[in-house]
Amino acid sequence: MTDTRTALGPLERAGDIWVVGDSGRSDGSWLEFRAEGLYRRASDGDGELIPWSRIMLGIGVYIGRGHPRTGQYTLAGMLGNLPGPFRGRGGGHLDMTLRHPYEDRKLTFDRHARPYPLLDTFLLEELLSQIVAADETPRLGDPDGLTRAVGRLTQLSPRMTRRRLSAAVEEAWRGSST
């Protein structure tokens, strides 16, 4: 088995699957990347499976509740990264458009107590959006392939340009299937 501490912002490996959010909270909510699709586990115990084939047009990653347009740069996103009473409080969401029927969805998750580096959040959003745009969403349900891709991404430097980061993200996920 691979290292379970591998993480990219709110995305982390938990046993045999990858999850977005703190899956260690018994009363929390998080999103699981399963072979058959994205499974939303709500804090009330309810769950919902969204097949990979329904996800279209990329996925936005937002830290903080509501619908912030600047992710970690919001007050909620920054406070959750600081030491003190706000650490690990709040959450975030993945924002996406689904097909058949068409609908916009905001899937929420609870954040971890650990900080989410800005670069990690950007790389996660870029990774999810590129995979969806390439119509390769079932790759997100391959835990070993995702582990290889995330391992490559965690080595990137924040000093790289956006264009180089995007190219490195594509190289990481396309090369993870081998």
Side-chain angles (χ1 to χ4, degrees):
M1 188 155 125
T2 59
D3 179 14
T4 58
R5 298 194 45 80
T6 302
L8 190 63
L11 177 71
E12 72 177 355
R13 181 130 184 198
D16 292 338
I17 61 170
W18 281 87
V19 298
V20 175
D22 188 357
S23 62
R25 294 184 187 182
S26 60
D27 63 340
S29 62
W30 63 85
L31 309 168
E32 299 176 356
F33 289 6
R34 296 181 176 182
E36 61 274 9
L38 181 63
Y39 182 77
R40 179 183 159 271
R41 194 221 184 249
S43 57
D44 60 8
D46 287 342
E48 170 189 15
L49 180 68
I50 299 171
W52 293 122
S53 61
R54 288 199 64 208
I55 299 173
M56 59 184 281
L57 301 178
I59 298 176
V61 179
Y62 299 97
I63 307 301
R65 299 287 188 201
H67 200 77
R69 278 283 150 212
T70 52
Q72 297 260 60
Y73 294 109
T74 64
L75 182 59
M78 290 186 291
L79 287 176
N81 279 341
L82 296 174
F86 294 105
R87 186 177 218 61
R89 301 234 181 213
H93 66 272
L94 297 185
D95 193 30
M96 64 191 72
T97 301
L98 304 177
R99 63 172 69 103
H100 308 300
Y102 291 100
E103 61 181 310
D104 290 328
R105 292 294 302 272
K106 181 170 74 170
L107 304 175
T108 60
F109 60 86
D110 290 318
R111 75 176 293 149
H112 300 86
R114 65 178 158 77
Y116 300 149
L118 293 173
L119 178 62
D120 283 8
T121 305
F122 168 79
L123 292 173
L124 174 60
E125 182 171 11
E126 187 70 18
L127 174 68
L128 297 175
S129 292
Q130 283 188 20
I131 289 174
V132 170
D135 201 25
E136 297 279 341
T137 51
R139 283 182 175 223
L140 295 172
D142 173 14
D144 294 331
L146 199 51
T147 296
R148 287 189 294 276
V150 169
R152 292 176 181 151
L153 295 176
T154 57
Q155 299 172 12
L156 296 179
S157 167
R159 295 183 182 162
M160 295 172 71
T161 65
R162 183 180 183 110
R163 180 182 296 174
R164 288 188 62 210
L165 285 170
S166 293
V169 168
E170 182 174 5
E171 183 180 320
W173 71 264
R174 288 199 186 270
S176 69
S177 63
T178 58

